[in-house]
Amino acid sequence: MIKRITSRLIIVLSTVLFMGTAYGVIDSYEFSTPEQEQRFFELTNELRCPKCQNQSIGDSNAPIAQDLRREVHRLLNEGADNQTVIDFMLARYGDFVLYKPRIAGVNLVLWLGPLLLLLAGLTVLIVVVRKHKATASESAPAAPDQHNADKELLDKKLNRFLTDYLSTHSSKDNKTDGKE
Amino acid sequence: MKRRLQLFLPLAIFLGLCLMFYVALFRENPGELPSALLDQPLPTFELPTVKNPDRKVTRENLLGEVALINVWATWCPACRVEHPYLVDLANKGVPIYGVNYKDDQPEARKWLKTLHDPYRFSINDNSGSLGIDLGVYGAPETYLIDHQGVIRYKHVGIVDANVWKNDLEPRFRHLQKQVLQAHANNREGEAK
């Protein structure tokens, strides 16, 4: 019984697991070479569909994605290289169509921002650690000196107190002795 | 005192991040992309019009005046919503050209007949190639071009009284003024 349930579970789970790998879109494009076909799939997966916001044009069935796939195919057939296709899309739809943003212009913030933040964090960390070390090394040798000075002062005070106390008490004792 | 202020630094950074996320997440229209064609000349094309399939129009037919180019289609419900307002604008004398984007031609002709035609002419962009050259990603879209055919502004979505008053009209009037001034300067130059 349990065996049957587990085997069924495995079948269901494996179906669910492998569902995602299917391509969303099937077109019938003809390519002159397998290499060109490869580039077509690379490009359509790298270019983002402008209407659907979070799908590549190879993944989306939106009319605009279909048109853009057709354009990519046309350009490749005309012998365009990948950069030409990407420039074609950039000129029309801007940086948005690239899943891999260019390292230029405003995008530099994207590329360098995390690095700058990391550097800033490191600087702060180094400064804090150095400060901490400096105060620690300053106070460490000072501590025994301070301690000794305090001890001496304490000893002196204690001595004075004791002598005072003893002297007053001994005189008191003398007085009471005298009364008795 | 300085140390006290330093303690607020993390809070300030946190609030800055909050502001950034707020602006990014609650934009008025998150679907709107900045047009890559701003301040670029209109693409070249040669296409028939909707009303007259034998007539071929090109980029040159759109030049000479500050004008609107409206991308529309009968399959686009939002286009139907904005259509009456475009008719109003056309009646006020605003030059509007249509780009009939990937549409059924008999349907498009019927639409223009029954809902009135605000366009000087509508370009029949059956394959959507002009749309791609313009960076269209959904209808309706409306472009503002100057008299030399340079794209000056792009509005994605419905054009209504609000959009016209706030976004399009100020730019439209400003461009018109520039054109008039340029003409006046030319005439002065010729007189001299």
Side-chain angles (χ1 to χ4, degrees):
Chain A
M1 181 66 188
I2 291 175
K3 227 180 183 177
R4 239 175 63 192
I5 290 177
T6 41
S7 65
R8 276 191 188 175
L9 204 65
I10 285 169
I11 291 171
V12 169
L13 279 179
S14 51
T15 342
V16 172
L17 268 175
F18 291 106
M19 257 181 355
T21 52
Y23 267 95
V25 176
I26 297 159
D27 285 314
S28 52
Y29 284 125
E30 281 181 16
F31 299 93
S32 46
T33 60
E35 181 259 339
Q36 196 186 50
E37 187 172 354
Q38 183 60 35
R39 276 168 59 212
F40 176 81
F41 283 115
E42 270 172 31
L43 281 166
T44 51
N45 272 316
E46 239 173 65
L47 292 166
R48 188 179 185 183
C49 163
K51 185 68 192 171
C52 8
Q53 302 271 340
N54 222 349
Q55 271 180 308
S56 67
I57 60 170
D59 226 5
S60 166
N61 234 337
I64 182 75
Q66 289 169 12
D67 287 357
L68 291 179
R69 279 200 300 276
R70 196 190 60 218
E71 288 294 316
V72 171
H73 181 247
R74 182 179 64 80
L75 287 168
L76 288 180
N77 259 351
E78 285 170 8
D81 59 4
N82 288 8
Q83 197 52 48
T84 315
V85 177
I86 287 171
D87 287 344
F88 175 92
M89 294 295 166
L90 269 180
R92 284 154 184 79
Y93 294 98
D95 279 318
F96 185 87
V97 286
L98 298 181
Y99 266 123
K100 219 190 276 167
R102 286 180 295 178
I103 312 180
V106 192
N107 289 346
L108 282 176
V109 179
L110 273 180
W111 286 95
L112 300 180
L115 201 70
L116 287 179
L117 281 178
L118 190 73
L119 282 178
L122 272 178
T123 330
V124 168
L125 191 74
I126 288 170
V127 166
V128 166
V129 166
R130 279 208 175 152
K131 245 188 198 169
H132 199 77
K133 263 192 181 163
T135 49
S137 56
E138 259 172 33
S139 57
D145 282 359
Q146 189 67 34
H147 191 68
N148 287 341
D150 282 351
K151 213 176 173 185
E152 267 169 37
L153 199 73
L154 207 66
D155 280 346
K156 255 184 209 164
K157 281 196 171 169
L158 198 66
N159 274 335
R160 206 190 293 157
F161 173 75
L162 276 175
T163 43
D164 281 2
Y165 181 84
L166 285 176
S167 64
T168 47
H169 270 256
S170 59
S171 61
K172 243 187 201 170
D173 285 351
N174 291 342
K175 270 175 199 167
T176 46
D177 277 355
K179 260 185 189 173
E180 267 175 0
Chain B
M1 191 59 201
K2 215 176 140 196
R3 278 207 77 83
R4 277 271 167 91
L5 284 177
Q6 269 180 3
L7 290 178
F8 284 99
L9 204 64
L11 183 70
I13 292 171
F14 173 71
L15 288 178
L17 276 177
C18 283
L19 189 73
M20 200 175 83
F21 287 137
Y22 179 80
V23 170
L25 289 172
F26 296 96
R27 275 183 302 175
E28 207 176 323
N29 187 356
E32 198 165 324
L33 313 181
S35 174
L37 278 125
L38 279 190
D39 297 321
Q40 300 286 320
L42 280 173
T44 53
F45 61 89
E46 192 181 345
L47 290 167
T49 66
V50 173
K51 280 187 169 169
N52 186 357
D54 297 328
R55 180 187 171 196
K56 289 268 201 268
V57 287
T58 65
R59 177 178 186 278
E60 272 63 45
N61 294 82
L62 304 175
L63 307 186
E65 271 177 293
V66 181
L68 297 182
I69 298 178
N70 176 249
V71 181
W72 65 282
T74 56
W75 47 259
C76 145
C79 299
R80 185 174 277 269
V81 175
E82 73 170 359
H83 195 85
Y85 194 74
L86 294 180
V87 175
D88 276 2
L89 282 182
N91 288 339
K92 274 190 210 159
V94 178
I96 308 176
Y97 300 99
V99 174
N100 186 231
Y101 182 58
K102 301 184 71 169
D103 207 358
D104 179 70
Q105 286 311 296
E107 281 291 318
R109 273 191 283 274
K110 209 166 92 191
W111 164 298
L112 291 179
K113 215 176 204 174
T114 53
L115 298 172
H116 299 291
D117 183 0
Y119 308 109
R120 294 274 176 91
F121 53 78
S122 275
I123 303 156
N124 172 12
D125 184 24
N126 209 2
S127 67
S129 61
L130 176 60
I132 286 176
D133 285 344
L134 277 170
V136 171
Y137 57 88
E141 289 185 15
T142 303
Y143 295 81
L144 175 64
I145 58 163
D146 67 12
H147 63 300
Q148 289 168 323
V150 176
I151 296 170
R152 294 300 188 170
Y153 187 70
K154 174 185 182 181
H155 175 77
V156 178
I158 292 169
V159 172
D160 55 16
N162 220 346
V163 170
W164 172 249
K165 288 243 163 61
N166 295 327
D167 297 337
L168 289 170
E169 192 177 20
R171 292 179 171 91
F172 181 79
R173 299 283 172 224
H174 180 73
L175 283 174
Q176 274 191 329
K177 225 186 245 172
Q178 276 184 345
V179 174
L180 284 177
Q181 251 165 13
H183 274 294
N185 287 347
N186 276 352
R187 242 174 257 151
E188 249 173 53
E190 276 167 26
K192 269 175 195 169

